[in-house]
Amino acid sequence: QVQFVESGGGLVQPGGSLRLSCAASGSISSIDAMAWYRQAPGKQRGLVAAIVRGGRTEYVDSVKGRFTISRDNAKNTVYLEMNSLKPEDTAVYYCNLWRVRPFPWGQGTQVTVSS
């Protein structure tokens, strides 16, 4: 199994930007699809964005045009570029596989959008 370590979160004002990183303990080049998820207080964890090996991406409607997911197989890392952040983006962000049984979840990285 591969372990994931998420980083890059923090406190940012509305309209600000953050870049999240997800470092895998092993190779992700053979993993077909990776994704970012988030869990806000009192809510279930849900999909934010996904990327497949060929580069196709998918986003939930609430982040389209603001977030960009990418992957660097050589560095075994998946990124989430977040722009025009809103208070409703506040959550713990996680990365994992997409559309298959996930590996164990990492600690996540906290993103707080507040003035």
Side-chain angles (χ1 to χ4, degrees):
Q1 287 184 336
V2 175
Q3 294 180 324
F4 302 112
V5 178
E6 300 89 352
S7 63
L11 173 63
V12 62
Q13 292 186 341
S17 299
L18 284 173
R19 188 193 194 203
L20 306 185
S21 297
C22 168
S25 62
S27 175
I28 65 169
S29 59
S30 62
I31 296 176
D32 185 49
M34 292 288 301
W36 282 94
Y37 304 81
R38 66 186 178 187
Q39 185 169 20
K43 295 186 177 181
Q44 288 190 331
R45 183 159 43 206
L47 178 72
V48 175
I51 183 167
V52 300
R53 202 162 20 175
R56 180 177 62 86
T57 57
E58 289 197 14
Y59 300 91
V60 295
D61 287 345
S62 60
V63 308
K64 284 181 180 177
R66 300 189 298 122
F67 290 12
T68 302
I69 187 172
S70 61
R71 62 190 288 176
D72 186 335
N73 291 337
K75 296 183 178 179
N76 297 319
T77 302
V78 181
Y79 303 98
L80 186 67
E81 186 78 33
M82 305 187 298
N83 299 310
S84 301
L85 282 162
K86 304 175 180 180
E88 51 263 44
D89 295 318
T90 295
V92 180
Y93 285 71
Y94 305 85
C95 68
N96 214 311
L97 311 183
W98 184 48
R99 287 186 171 173
V100 295
R101 184 174 181 174
F103 288 142
W105 294 92
Q107 295 292 321
T109 186
Q110 175 71 49
V111 172
T112 302
V113 185
S114 174
S115 56

